[in-house]
Amino acid sequence: MMLRLNKKTVIIAFSGLLAFLVFFSIYMGKDMTRVLPSSIQDTTPVLLAAAQLDKLWNYVYTMQYKCTKSEYLGGKPEMRMDGAYDLCTEEKFWPLSTNKDYKCLMYSFGVGFDFSFDDEIAKKKCEVHSFDPSMTYEDGWHRESGVTFHKTGISDVDLDKDSNGWKMRTLKTILQEMHHNGRYLDYLKVDTDAPGNRGGFEDVLLQELLDTGLHKCVRQFAMEIHLAGPLTKKKWADRVDTIYRQLLQLRDHGWKIYNTTDNIRWEPDLSYTQLKGKQKILYNDAIILWEVAMVNT
């Protein structure tokens, strides 16, 4: 007896095979999609990117720790509190909550002329150093709140002048130059925009924390994750994959997410949601921004 397959059955079969190969490629690190006809292969980069985005999307929205005491600090009211971040004030993550003599230390990378969060932390008697090479303030400037400004950016290499004319340093070098070796960073914040708002430097700092083991010396870590589109471009698709894998590695070292905020405050349309950005970013020059806060358990 001859088996008859109609067009719908063939389409379903190919769709199932393609879905299997896409996810097999992601989880096994092998590009098995090459066995498909070229007309179908052309769609696989987008499907792979969409699958990777879904994994990162689901990860950042899954809270892994419930902080019983927290404060949402800083932010610009005129920008719907852009620049605000969460501080978990439980004693094990914020010793100042019970020991007023504790020598607290915070590094903040990326200011963008908004010191509001950094100022609030400094007012709690924590030593705060804010870094941003793109600003016009004088290096070493001391703010009334107690914050010290440094005209330096975070990077994976030490440069006195990069292509933007900026002084850049690794975290390890900054700790050495600031004579902070041997101290905990009670709060580490990174909210850095690359020129043109096409991603940031948070992946650079994440990788250094993992490679050097410096993640062991940080109590709380907050960052704005910048995803740029279109994800049909390998550069931006790879960034999604890199950040996802970095977060998984941090999780394996005991880091847990306790707060994630959508940053859509730049969008004038008050009905805009992050889901709309998710739909756009695959094919368009769009962005997704998350403010993610983690604690080192």
Side-chain angles (χ1 to χ4, degrees):
M1 181 177 68
M2 182 179 293
L3 180 64
R4 293 180 178 272
L5 298 177
N6 59 32
K7 184 177 180 180
K8 183 177 181 181
T9 302
V10 173
I11 292 174
I12 291 173
F14 266 110
S15 298
L17 174 61
L18 181 58
F20 169 78
L21 291 172
V22 165
F23 284 101
F24 188 86
S25 297
I26 292 172
Y27 285 104
M28 300 301 293
K30 299 178 180 179
D31 188 3
M32 299 300 294
T33 57
R34 295 177 184 174
V35 303
L36 295 171
S38 59
S39 59
I40 297 180
Q41 286 185 35
D42 292 341
T43 66
T44 58
V46 175
L47 291 172
L48 283 166
Q52 285 289 22
L53 179 59
D54 273 340
K55 289 167 67 176
L56 179 57
W57 185 280
N58 293 333
Y59 189 83
V60 300
Y61 285 121
T62 302
M63 298 302 101
Q64 302 157 344
Y65 182 82
K66 183 176 177 57
C67 179
T68 58
K69 299 178 184 178
S70 66
E71 297 180 35
Y72 197 55
L73 302 172
K76 294 181 178 180
E78 68 275 16
M79 289 291 291
R80 290 183 277 168
M81 303 311 292
D82 184 35
Y85 280 90
D86 210 75
L87 170 69
C88 183
T89 56
E90 292 180 3
E91 180 182 4
K92 56 187 172 182
F93 305 122
W94 191 247
L96 268 179
S97 62
T98 56
N99 182 0
K100 301 306 179 184
D101 295 324
Y102 176 75
K103 293 184 177 181
C104 173
L105 179 63
M106 169 182 162
Y107 279 5
S108 172
F109 293 100
V111 180
F113 296 96
D114 179 8
F115 287 92
S116 58
F117 180 75
D118 302 6
D119 286 340
E120 290 295 328
I121 298 296
K123 290 175 184 176
K124 292 180 176 293
K125 307 305 180 185
C126 186
E127 180 182 347
V128 178
H129 296 271
S130 302
F131 303 82
D132 194 325
S134 69
M135 294 168 61
T136 55
Y137 300 123
E138 183 178 352
D139 184 65
W141 173 46
H142 295 281
R143 290 176 58 78
E144 185 177 349
S145 64
V147 170
T148 302
F149 171 74
H150 305 272
K151 202 174 175 64
T152 304
I154 191 69
S155 178
D156 55 357
V157 292
D158 295 329
L159 296 170
D160 289 332
K161 186 177 291 187
D162 70 357
S163 59
N164 298 303
W166 297 345
K167 178 182 175 181
M168 307 296 283
R169 292 288 189 269
T170 65
L171 178 60
K172 182 178 180 180
T173 297
I174 289 174
L175 287 166
Q176 291 172 345
E177 292 180 347
M178 300 284 292
H179 304 293
H180 288 153
N181 280 339
R183 290 183 62 179
Y184 274 101
L185 280 172
D186 294 280
Y187 206 103
L188 175 61
K189 188 209 82 176
V190 56
D191 182 357
T192 54
D193 296 310
N197 199 24
R198 308 302 295 157
F201 296 92
E202 63 273 11
D203 54 333
V204 171
L205 185 52
L206 280 167
Q207 197 59 51
E208 183 178 1
L209 290 173
L210 291 165
D211 290 344
T212 62
L214 283 171
H215 63 84
K216 300 175 185 177
C217 308
V218 182
R219 298 187 194 277
Q220 298 190 51
F221 179 40
M223 63 178 167
E224 182 161 80
I225 296 176
H226 303 73
L227 302 183
L231 297 187
T232 50
K233 289 187 176 180
K234 187 176 185 300
K235 175 181 179 180
W236 303 125
D238 286 349
R239 180 175 173 78
V240 172
D241 180 57
T242 295
I243 292 176
Y244 175 67
R245 293 181 185 278
Q246 289 170 331
L247 290 175
L248 289 185
Q249 290 179 63
L250 273 185
R251 179 200 63 187
D252 293 342
H253 288 299
W255 282 89
K256 295 184 178 180
I257 296 174
Y258 73 92
N259 181 272
T260 294
T261 305
D262 290 346
N263 186 349
I264 53 173
R265 305 176 187 101
W266 48 270
E267 174 59 53
D269 179 5
L270 296 181
S271 67
Y272 188 86
T273 67
Q274 199 78 300
L275 282 172
K276 292 182 180 180
K278 185 181 182 183
Q279 294 166 359
K280 290 180 178 180
I281 198 171
L282 276 177
Y283 295 99
N284 299 299
D285 184 12
I287 58 171
I288 289 177
L289 304 175
W290 289 302
E291 293 154 341
V292 179
M294 297 178 283
V295 287
N296 184 358
T297 61

